[in-house]
Amino acid sequence: MNGRAVRSGRAVKTIFSTTVSLFVGFLLLAAGTAGLSSPAYGGPSYFSVDREFYPYYPSLIKWDRSGAGFTAPEVCSGCHPKQYEEWTGSVHALAFQDPVYQGELNLAFKAVGHDISRQCEGCHSPAGVVTGEIKGPGVEGLSPMALAGVSCDICHSISGVTHGQTPTGEPENGSFILSPGKDTPQGPKLVKRGPYAPSDGCGMGFHECLESPLHLKADLCASCHQVYHYEKHFPIEATYSEWKKGPYAQKGIYCQDCHMVEIETFIRSADAFKKPERKEYRHYFNGANYLLYYLAEAAAIKAGDKELATNLKTKFDMAVKRLQMAADLELYPVYRAGSLAEIKVRVRNIRAGHNLPTSLTNIREMW
């Protein structure tokens, strides 16, 4: 196991635990003053749901369970140190520990209970949900695999999607299938999937390698970047739909082509509709959430982990630059009676393949 990775995990967890406590306290106070109730699950059925097909509903994850368990990212780092370093401190790595997410999760848990809040947990810690380890908000006492959020093993264990079988017939709420391995006459065998044909010796006997065309498509990301209300199934977050209806989808530029590359490559992909070369892809999963990087960097500094702090500062700078490159600002002075009376401001989306801002727009701001 990678020693630095373990220390880094504790560093992030230490300050995040403190931040979550403060943030959750604020949210609970807000919830109390707003008079939130706790409605029982099982109200009017607007969409039919096969609960046997979706056993973790309202999370739509499916787990192809076998004797092969999940693999912690520190184990993956032994053969993939570069990819591990890129993933470390990413929004995927911090998906479950994110204090803003934990605060929102706590609010949901108080309002509707764990049976409903599991919808959120399914995408923020898939392994923690299917194994039954996560039973509500908070990070204390959880295994490294659950805390790792969207780790290497999660993405590379996805064997398919059930987008056409969801209540709405659209990607939503984690509609993917996890298949970390299979049972064989010789015992459990780990199976990992990637976008390209396996090279000779791939997996080095530790796991089997399979080519997965799904990993080259936006459908892979759609499962968790399309969030619908757990009961009425109206869209709460529609990043995938925004992309699908826009010019980038028509030109074959997918999520991976902008969020898994360096800034310069992102600009080229967006401006020229040119897909990156294979050698240009990275495991940054970088977007515009610079606040999360800022908080995580503060945690690393507090814990004395300079290497991790530097890693997170780099990702913070990337997020700020990416956001700056996604929009253009135009100012129009308006004069009346020979004097400046007002300034009109226009913000244009020039490079984001979806709306700007996107995701949970009720908590997103741009200035």
Side-chain angles (χ1 to χ4, degrees), residues 53 70 112 117 128 137-138 143 151 153 166 169 172 178 188 204 219 236 248 281-282 296 305 308 313 331 342 351 364:
F53 187 73
F70 293 100
V112 295
S117 66
S143 69
S151 64
D153 202 41
T166 67
E172 58 162 307
L178 282 176
M204 300 178 65
D219 284 0
I236 298 173
Y248 290 89
Y281 288 101
R282 303 288 184 268
D305 193 332
L308 179 60
K313 180 60 167 63
L331 302 177
E342 61 179 303
R351 291 193 178 95
R364 302 287 191 207

Side-chain angles (χ1 to χ4, degrees), residues 87-108:
W87 170 85
T88 298
S90 68
V91 290
H92 276 191
L94 301 174
F96 188 73
Q97 300 184 60
D98 176 356
V100 176
Y101 162 73
Q102 281 289 329
E104 293 284 339
L105 178 63
N106 192 78
L107 184 60

Side-chain angles (χ1 to χ4, degrees), residues 26-251:
F26 170 77
L27 286 176
L28 288 178
L29 177 61
T33 57
L36 280 175
S37 60
S38 300
Y41 191 36
S45 177
Y46 297 89
F47 291 84
S48 60
V49 178
D50 186 340
R51 298 300 179 83
E52 291 187 3
F53 187 73
Y54 289 123
Y56 307 101
Y57 190 83
S59 171
L60 303 186
I61 294 179
K62 290 183 66 63
W63 183 21
D64 186 11
R65 190 169 186 172
S66 70
F70 293 100
T71 304
E74 291 79 13
V75 176
C76 305
S77 71
C79 291
H80 307 282
K82 181 175 180 292
Q83 290 82 357
Y84 174 79
E85 189 69 17
E86 293 166 353
W87 170 85
T88 298
S90 68
V91 290
H92 276 191
L94 301 174
F96 188 73
Q97 300 184 60
D98 176 356
V100 176
Y101 162 73
Q102 281 289 329
E104 293 284 339
L105 178 63
N106 192 78
L107 184 60
F109 182 81
K110 293 291 185 180
V112 295
H114 181 244
D115 283 348
I116 305 304
S117 66
R118 187 168 57 228
Q119 171 180 331
C120 310
E121 298 161 1
C123 279
H124 284 260
S125 181
V129 167
V130 298
T131 59
E133 185 177 347
I134 294 176
K135 297 177 173 60
V139 298
E140 295 300 327
L142 296 178
S143 69
M145 189 65 211
L147 291 173
V150 185
S151 64
C152 329
D153 202 41
I154 296 303
C155 289
H156 291 284
S157 290
I158 294 178
S159 60
V161 294
T162 62
H163 297 343
Q165 296 159 280
T166 67
T168 58
E170 294 284 341
E172 58 162 307
N173 304 348
S175 49
F176 58 84
I177 304 169
L178 282 176
S179 304
K182 61 184 179 181
D183 291 319
T184 72
Q186 293 74 38
K189 179 71 174 178
L190 295 173
V191 180
K192 303 305 151 199
R193 297 159 180 83
Y196 304 109
S199 58
D200 292 339
C202 179
M204 300 178 65
F206 181 70
H207 63 74
E208 181 180 330
C209 300
L210 292 179
E211 181 178 3
S212 169
L214 174 65
H215 283 68
L216 287 170
K217 299 178 180 178
D219 284 0
L220 179 72
C221 313
S223 301
C224 283
H225 293 277
Q226 187 92 334
V227 181
Y228 282 31
H229 185 270
Y230 68 90
E231 185 178 72
K232 298 179 176 63
H233 289 276
F234 59 77
I236 298 173
E237 175 183 341
T239 303
Y240 171 77
S241 292
E242 294 164 5
W243 165 83
K244 191 175 181 180
K245 296 174 183 176
Y248 290 89
Q250 311 310 315
K251 296 291 186 177

Side-chain angles (χ1 to χ4, degrees), residues 299-344:
I301 292 173
K302 183 178 180 180
D305 193 332
K306 295 181 179 179
E307 185 178 355
L308 179 60
T310 300
N311 180 313
L312 289 160
K313 180 60 167 63
T314 299
K315 290 182 171 66
F316 171 87
D317 291 339
M318 288 175 62
V320 171
K321 185 69 172 178
R322 191 178 296 268
L323 185 56
Q324 290 172 337
M325 293 297 100
D328 186 37
L329 181 68
E330 297 176 350
L331 302 177
Y332 301 94
V334 178
Y335 292 89
R336 297 190 184 96
S339 299
L340 180 64
E342 61 179 303
I343 297 177
K344 293 185 177 181

